[in-house]
Amino acid sequence: MNYNVELIREENYKPTFWSGGMATELITYPQNSDYANRNFLWRLGVAKIDILESTFSTLPKVSRKFMVIEGQITLDHENKYKKSLNSFEQDSFIGDWNTKTYGKASVFNLMTRENYQGDLIHLNIPPKKHLNFEYKTQLNKDLIAICFYTVEGTFKTTLNNKQFKVNTKGLLKVDYLKSSFSHEFVLNNDSSNITNIVVSVIYCS
């Protein structure tokens, strides 16, 4: 099966600062969209929360998926609920909620707008092992992209008869996925260390 594949390396990311620490924009879609103007349809980013208490920016009409990739924090959604998150645990919420965080952590963010949605999946590959990751598209949704972000470690995979090696903090974006119901990827960890990956699945309903 042929895919459109793009490997994005750490040096290609866009660093930004926010009140709680440093953030890194991994990718926005469409390509010419801008986070500041809120004209993106979906966006991936990582952020480091360096202060013990912070308040998120208000993002009306934005749906958020939020996964801790290092550390531990508590999310406090005002008048809704509180949720404590350890590494690779996640929460889903709406961007116009009043949300505070308590604790220091590094986090992965998926933001979607309009009729775009997404899921976050954590994969762990032991040293010298491989993992078969399969995603089955739901019948009422159009699969847009699957993105693999390496939190730590490395992995290799072969797509379109070409091998890709994704190092720590690298992002492998795979799209043109609509022609098949099921998609399977073989991810190989040839190293002597554990590889942790956050998979972002983007779809349209």
Side-chain angles (χ1 to χ4, degrees):
M1 182 179 299
N2 288 324
Y3 299 106
N4 290 334
V5 185
E6 182 181 5
L7 177 58
I8 308 172
R9 295 178 173 86
E10 183 179 4
E11 58 266 26
N12 301 125
Y13 299 146
K14 180 180 177 182
T16 59
F17 293 92
W18 66 293
S19 60
M22 178 128 184
T24 301
E25 181 179 283
L26 306 180
I27 189 171
T28 58
Y29 178 86
Q31 190 172 7
N32 60 350
S33 61
D34 183 75
Y35 170 73
N37 292 325
R38 307 292 191 263
N39 60 354
F40 63 89
L41 294 175
W42 58 272
R43 177 183 186 269
L44 301 179
V46 293
K48 191 171 184 180
I49 302 174
D50 289 326
I51 58 178
L52 290 176
E53 181 179 338
S54 62
T55 301
F56 284 167
S57 301
T58 302
L59 300 171
K61 300 181 180 179
V62 174
S63 297
R64 302 190 63 174
K65 301 277 187 176
F66 183 92
M67 178 182 284
V68 172
I69 54 178
E70 183 182 6
Q72 181 185 45
I73 62 170
T74 296
L75 294 180
D76 182 358
H77 304 296
E78 185 179 353
N79 298 323
K80 299 187 184 298
Y81 63 89
K82 292 183 180 181
K83 187 173 184 179
S84 295
L85 301 175
N86 296 307
S87 292
F88 302 111
E89 295 179 339
Q90 63 180 292
D91 189 27
S92 302
F93 55 99
I94 306 302
D96 60 3
W97 291 3
N98 294 322
T99 298
K100 290 187 176 182
T101 66
Y102 301 94
K104 296 183 179 182
S106 295
V107 299
F108 188 95
N109 283 287
L110 165 61
M111 300 181 185
T112 55
R113 296 178 61 251
E114 297 182 10
N115 57 337
Y116 283 76
Q117 298 172 289
D119 294 316
L120 296 181
I121 303 166
H122 169 231
L123 303 180
N124 177 286
I125 312 176
K128 306 296 184 181
K129 298 292 184 181
H130 74 274
L131 183 148
N132 292 335
F133 173 70
E134 183 178 11
Y135 186 82
K136 294 183 178 179
T137 308
Q138 299 179 45
L139 294 178
N140 61 338
K141 300 183 184 300
D142 290 329
L143 186 58
I144 303 300
I146 298 178
C147 300
F148 300 86
Y149 176 77
T150 308
V151 177
E152 60 180 342
T154 63
F155 75 91
K156 296 177 181 177
T157 189
T158 300
L159 298 167
N160 302 341
N161 297 315
K162 179 181 178 181
Q163 186 180 79
F164 294 87
K165 181 179 180 180
V166 188
N167 295 317
T168 301
K169 297 185 180 179
L171 179 75
L172 188 69
K173 175 178 172 284
V174 184
D175 57 22
Y176 190 65
L177 300 166
K178 297 180 181 179
S179 60
S180 177
F181 167 73
S182 180
H183 302 270
E184 185 172 353
F185 304 88
V186 180
L187 311 179
N188 295 287
N189 178 9
D190 295 334
S191 74
S192 56
N193 300 308
I194 291 173
T195 294
N196 279 299
I197 301 168
V198 176
V199 183
S200 304
V201 180
I202 317 297
Y203 48 88
C204 188
S205 58

